[in-house]
Each structure stands twice: as C-alpha cells, then as structure tokens.
C-alpha cells in the first residue's frame, strides 16, 4: 500500500513540477529551442498552420507546418483560445501534461504485464529463484516514474512539443500488443506512424507480441525442457501437474496467427479511417497528395536544414547537391538494414526489440528532439532486471547529462554571441549520437548475456535432475 501511495505522490509531484516550470520559464523561451521544437513538433508552427486553415488557405502554405491535419483539429482551436491573466497556450499545456501522465500509466501497466509473463516463463523452466528476484523489482513503476521525471520529458512538455502525443501513441500500441487488444494496438500504431512515420518499423515487434506474447527467455530453453519432460515421462505416469507443465511448454512456442490477422484487420480499418478524415479536411487544398508531399515527403527529403540535435542537417548542408539523393537513401536505409537482423536475434523479446528500434529511429530520424529520447529512456526501465549488469551505465548517464548541458551553451555561442561556429553545435550532436549508439550496443549485449546466463542455469538444473 505504501508503495502505491508513494507512486501516486510522485506522479502528482511531476504534474505540479510541469505547471510550475510552465509559469516560471517564460524567459527561457523553451518552445523555440532546437533541441525541443522541430519543424514537425513545434506548437508555434501548428498554430501558424491552423491560422492559415482558418484563413481559407492550405495549412501547408509557406512551408511552415508539416504535421498531421488531425493535430490541427485537436490542438488548433486551443492555440487561439486565451484565458485572461494566464500564459498563452495554457490549454495546450494541459493536453501535453495529460498525455505524459497517461503515457506513464500505460508504461506501468505494460511493465506489470511483462513482469508477470516473464516470471511465469521462468517458473516453467524451473528457475523459481530468478522469478522471485524479478518480482522484487517493480519495473513498471520504475519505468513510469523514469519517464515522468526525466528532464527530457519535462522540458518537452513545458516547451509545448507535440512529441508527447507521438510518444503516447507509440506506448499505446505496445500496451495494446502486450494485452493482445488488437483494436487498441492497431489504433496506436496507425496514429504513431501517421504523426511521425518512423514508428512504422514497430510493426515487426507488435506482430511478434501478438504472435508469441510478451518477452520470454530464449525459445531453445523451452524446447530443451520439453524434451526432458517427455523423455522422463512413463506410460504409468498420470501426474496432472507434470501433464499441465508439458502442455504449457508446448504452448509457449505456438505462433498465434489468429491474433495477428485480427491486428492487421484493425490496422487496415484505422488506416482507412485516418486517410478519409485527412482527405476530407484537405479536400480544398490538394487532398491526400498534398498531405503526403508536405509531411512524409518533408521527413524523407529533409529540405529544412535548420540546426537540431540530429546529424542530418549538418551533413546535407555540406554535401554536393549531385550526391544528395544517394545519401538520403543511405541514411534512411540504415534503419531498414538493421531491422531484420535484430528481429531474428531478439524475436523472443519483442518489447525489448521495440525499445531498440525506437532508439535507432531516434538517432537516425531527420528531425529528432529530446522528446524522442525521453520515450526510450523511460522504456529502458522496463528491462531493469535483465540489464542490471549493463556496462558503462555511469558513463552513459554522465554523457547524457553533459550533452544536455553543453548543447544550449554551444548553440548560444554560435547563434547569439557569434564567438563560435556550426562545428561547436554539431560536435554536441555527433557526441549525442555516439552515446545513443553505445546505449544500443551495450543494452543488446547485456540482454544477450542475460539469456546466456538463463541457458547455463537451465541446463545445469536439468543435469542435476
């Protein structure tokens, strides 16, 4: 009971912190920081797009707005609503705070589901002491609080970045897949893909979640256990407990095509619904063709080279125009090339696979922000038990803190004081990308080492019995 009370007190504290910072951080002008607001997540650009639409013009006129028409419908009216004596966009801040809290609650619920499923799988392998140890650490609570109190999450919310809504949709799809709620998971995946395109790669881990269920130890261990149980059974052995154990071991590796088909059906349904709504909203301004050109085309071709915490803007500002298309294919193809090998190696851990995909896409997307990092750093808490022996943890923590402090300083030296140049700011961006690479490599290595440890313990237990 005390743990539950402390959890909700922490949630309330994070909400209060957001509103305090929203009222006291006017001079910081966080909504214009390149680390927080990108051409795709800036509320100012959204407000401009809504004003253009209200003036009977295309919201994409002038290359100001490049987001979804659905965000214009949801947030547009709130950007022009003013409350006397209150800061601008107060109602929008309420929406972003609610999105963060709901996202944290979904992360917590998904963590509880993962923890329960993982503990039951360990018991099937006879590793009862490990299942008890994994239940001691409430990974769901840890991940939810890590997301809510993460400085990246807080500044993205206070800076009025729409990344809070994008993160909510991603977590909604993962939560629905963990619970095998096809309509919910399909809605989250479709909306996340519609808002920022890159979550499309999460289709693989979501399908694996529907097919095999939540994360589990390697499949080979269950096959090994199954052979051992069958080999030691006799014709006169009618023990119900052992029979149930063998049945459960048989069901572990069965892929549920029915659940996957159900999910794909709902995906098609929600996709059609979203496209119809967008087509109706833009019917007088070019329709869906204009939507695809101004949103997904903008993401893939990277015409806006304003500085951000990514590496694309600097590279494409320097590259010759003749080679631009080639390097666009190379950069975007990097994400696709990593998908299949990781899926083959981590197919028994679809939630962790989704985490790795999110880190990679956050590192290689064309217009990244700290809101993207806030999501995967929150999801990292879901695997606290498996990654407890991860190397370079303190080095990574120090690196993220250092980059967070140096990035605004270098940007100020370059843009405002004129005592630096673009290399100052790009240096922090490339360092930030390197730390994300280290995080991916070390987390995957720690997870694979954890699987090897489970294999050794399981084999040793079978030999003893």
């Amino acid at each position: 009971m005390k743990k539950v009370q402390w959890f909700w007190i922490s949630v309330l504290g994070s909400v209060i912190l957001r509103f305090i910072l929203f009222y006291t951080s006017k001079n910081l002008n966080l909504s214009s920081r390149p680390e927080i607001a990108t051409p795709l997540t800036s509320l100012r650009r959204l407000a401009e797009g809504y004003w253009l639409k209200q003036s009977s013009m295309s919201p994409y006129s002038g290359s100001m707005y490049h987001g979804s028409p659905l965000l214009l419908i949801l947030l547009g009216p709130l950007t022009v609503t003013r409350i006397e004596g209150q800061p601008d966009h107060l109602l929008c801040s309420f929406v972003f705070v609610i999105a963060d809290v709901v996202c944290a609650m979904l992360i917590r619920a998904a963590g509880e589901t993962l923890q329960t499923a993982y503990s039951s799988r360990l018991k099937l392998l006879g590793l009862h002491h490990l299942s008890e140890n994994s239940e001691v650490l409430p990974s769901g609570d840890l991940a939810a609080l890590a997301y809510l109190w993460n400085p990246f999450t807080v500044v993205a919310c206070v800076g009025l970045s729409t990344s809070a809504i994008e993160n909510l949709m991603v977590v909604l799809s993962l939560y629905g897949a963990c619970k095998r709620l096809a309509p919910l998971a399909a809605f989250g995946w479709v909306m996340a893909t519609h808002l920022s395109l890159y979550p499309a790669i999460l289709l693989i881990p979501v399908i694996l979640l529907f097919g095999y269920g939540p994360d589990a130890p390697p499949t080979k261990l269950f096959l090994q256990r199954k052979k051992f149980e069958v080999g030691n059974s006799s014709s006169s052995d009618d023990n119900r407990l052992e029979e149930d154990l063998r049945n459960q071991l048989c069901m572990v590796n069965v892929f549920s095509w029915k659940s996957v088909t159900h999910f794909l059906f709902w995906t098609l349904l929600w996709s059609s619904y979203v496209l119809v709504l967008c087509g109706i909203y833009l019917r007088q301004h070019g329709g869906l063709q204009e939507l695809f050109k101004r949103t997904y085309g903008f993401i893939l071709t990277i015409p806006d080279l304003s500085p951000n915490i990514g590496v694309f803007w600097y590279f494409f500002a320097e590259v010759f125009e003749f080679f631009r298309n080639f390097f666009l294919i190379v950069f975007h193809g990097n994400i696709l090339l990593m998908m299949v090998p990781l899926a083959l190696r981590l197919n028994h851990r679809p939630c962790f696979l989704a985490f790795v995909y999110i880190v990679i896409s956050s590192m290689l997307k064309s217009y990244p922000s700290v809101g993207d990092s806030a999501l995967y750093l929150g999801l990292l808490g879901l695997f606290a038990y498996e990654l407890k022996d991860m190397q370079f943890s303190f080095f990574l923590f120090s690196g993220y803190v250092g980059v967070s402090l140096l990035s605004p300083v270098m940007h100020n030296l370059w843009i405002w004081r004129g005592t630096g140049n673009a290399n100052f700011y790009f240096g922090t961006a490339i360092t930030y990308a390197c730390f994300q690479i280290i995080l991916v490599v070390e987390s995957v290595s720690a997870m694979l080492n954890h699987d090897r440890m489970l294999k050794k313990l399981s084999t040793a237990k079978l030999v003893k019995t």
Side-chain angles (χ1 to χ4, degrees):
M1 183 62 69
K2 289 183 179 180
K3 290 183 179 180
V4 174
Q5 291 177 351
W6 277 111
F7 175 81
W8 288 108
I9 291 173
S10 300
V11 171
L12 180 61
S14 69
V15 172
I16 295 173
L17 174 64
R18 281 164 167 76
F19 282 112
I20 291 175
L21 291 177
F22 183 73
Y23 275 93
T24 59
S25 62
K26 296 180 183 178
N27 296 331
L28 296 178
N29 203 16
L30 292 176
S31 60
S32 64
R33 293 295 312 170
E35 300 89 359
I36 299 172
T38 69
L40 298 173
T41 63
S42 172
L43 188 68
R44 289 185 175 183
R45 289 179 176 247
L46 187 147
E48 180 71 18
Y50 183 73
W51 184 88
L52 291 171
K53 185 65 173 66
Q54 294 302 103
S55 302
S56 300
M57 293 185 286
S58 171
Y60 300 114
S61 299
S63 191
M64 176 60 71
Y65 181 64
H66 299 282
S68 165
L70 301 184
L71 285 180
L72 292 177
I73 299 173
L74 174 64
L75 298 175
L78 301 181
T79 60
V80 297
T81 304
R82 298 289 187 271
I83 300 176
E84 187 175 354
Q86 300 296 328
D88 294 342
H89 305 313
L90 178 63
L91 297 179
C92 291
S93 69
F94 274 105
V95 174
F96 296 140
V97 170
I98 292 172
D100 277 347
V101 172
V102 174
C103 185
M105 295 302 100
L106 292 175
I107 291 176
R108 184 193 187 202
E112 292 174 350
T113 302
L114 288 174
Q115 193 169 22
T116 302
Y118 193 66
S119 297
S120 64
R121 299 292 177 87
L122 289 177
K123 291 177 181 177
L124 285 178
L125 294 174
L127 304 176
H128 299 278
H129 64 288
L130 290 181
S131 66
E132 293 173 357
N133 292 338
S134 65
E135 291 172 357
V136 171
L137 188 62
S139 58
D141 293 355
L142 180 63
L145 293 179
Y147 178 78
L148 279 178
W149 285 95
N150 190 330
F152 289 166
T153 315
V154 175
V155 296
C157 180
V158 177
L160 301 175
S161 170
T162 59
S163 59
I165 298 177
E166 297 174 7
N167 292 346
L168 174 61
M169 293 299 108
V170 171
V171 174
L172 186 67
S173 66
L174 296 178
Y175 168 78
C178 287
K179 294 289 187 178
R180 290 195 171 181
L181 301 174
L184 192 64
F187 174 77
W189 182 81
V190 168
M191 287 302 302
T193 303
H194 171 67
L195 292 176
S196 60
L197 185 61
Y198 289 96
I201 64 176
L202 295 179
L203 181 65
I204 294 177
V206 169
I207 287 178
L208 291 175
L209 275 169
F210 274 102
Y212 290 118
D215 293 25
T219 306
K220 293 180 180 179
L221 300 186
F222 294 100
L223 295 175
Q224 187 180 26
R225 179 77 176 182
K226 178 183 173 183
K227 291 179 181 179
F228 177 79
E229 293 292 334
V230 173
N232 286 353
S233 63
S234 60
S235 58
S236 60
D237 185 16
D238 57 352
N239 190 311
R240 183 178 299 274
L241 184 61
E242 293 183 2
E243 186 66 29
D244 290 342
L245 177 60
R246 284 194 292 271
N247 291 334
Q248 292 176 9
L249 289 170
C250 291
M251 291 298 294
V252 165
N253 304 315
V254 176
F255 190 86
S256 177
W257 288 104
K258 182 179 179 180
S259 299
V260 173
T261 305
H262 195 202
F263 164 74
L264 294 176
F265 167 76
W266 277 100
T267 299
L268 181 62
L269 190 64
W270 284 119
S271 300
S272 303
Y273 186 60
V274 168
L275 291 177
V276 168
L277 284 180
C278 294
I280 294 174
Y281 190 79
L282 297 173
R283 63 185 182 277
Q284 298 178 349
H285 308 290
L288 293 178
Q289 183 178 358
E290 181 75 0
L291 169 69
F292 293 145
K293 178 182 177 181
R294 297 289 189 168
T295 55
Y296 306 139
F298 180 81
I299 293 172
L300 295 175
T301 58
I302 322 178
D304 189 335
L305 299 179
S306 55
N308 55 59
I309 59 173
V311 295
F312 283 18
W313 64 274
Y314 187 89
F315 183 85
F316 285 102
E318 300 293 334
V319 75
F320 290 110
E321 190 67 24
F322 178 78
F323 297 104
R324 181 180 175 85
N325 291 334
F326 169 75
F327 282 107
L328 282 174
I329 296 174
V330 171
F331 274 86
H332 291 303
N334 271 335
I335 300 178
L336 301 178
L337 288 175
M338 298 181 194
M339 288 173 57
V340 175
L342 286 170
L344 293 175
R345 190 65 183 87
L346 298 170
N347 57 36
H348 61 289
R349 294 189 180 275
C351 274
F352 181 73
L353 178 65
F355 159 76
V356 175
Y357 280 0
I358 291 171
V359 181
I360 292 174
S361 64
S362 300
M363 176 178 56
L364 295 176
K365 68 191 309 183
S366 51
Y367 300 101
S369 69
V370 294
D372 304 314
S373 302
L375 176 60
Y376 69 71
L377 290 175
L379 294 177
L380 183 64
L382 294 176
F383 316 102
Y385 176 72
E386 292 88 343
L387 303 181
K388 63 181 183 298
D389 296 325
M390 188 174 76
Q391 296 182 351
F392 306 117
S393 300
F394 182 74
F395 175 71
L396 286 170
F397 174 78
S398 302
Y400 272 86
V401 172
V403 169
S404 303
L405 297 177
L406 282 177
S407 182
V409 173
M410 295 303 176
H411 186 267
N412 182 64
L413 290 176
W414 173 31
I415 299 297
W416 299 110
R417 296 185 180 274
T419 56
N421 54 42
N423 293 323
F424 282 52
Y425 190 68
F426 178 69
T428 60
I430 198 71
T431 304
Y432 181 62
C434 290
F435 280 117
Q436 292 180 96
I437 294 172
I438 296 173
L439 176 62
V440 171
V441 173
E442 290 304 320
S443 60
V444 172
S445 298
M447 185 62 74
L448 295 179
N449 289 334
H450 181 75
D451 287 343
R452 295 187 188 100
M453 182 268 292
L454 292 179
K455 182 178 179 180
K456 291 180 180 179
L457 293 177
S458 178
T459 303
K461 190 173 183 63
L462 291 178
V463 171
K464 289 182 180 179
T465 55

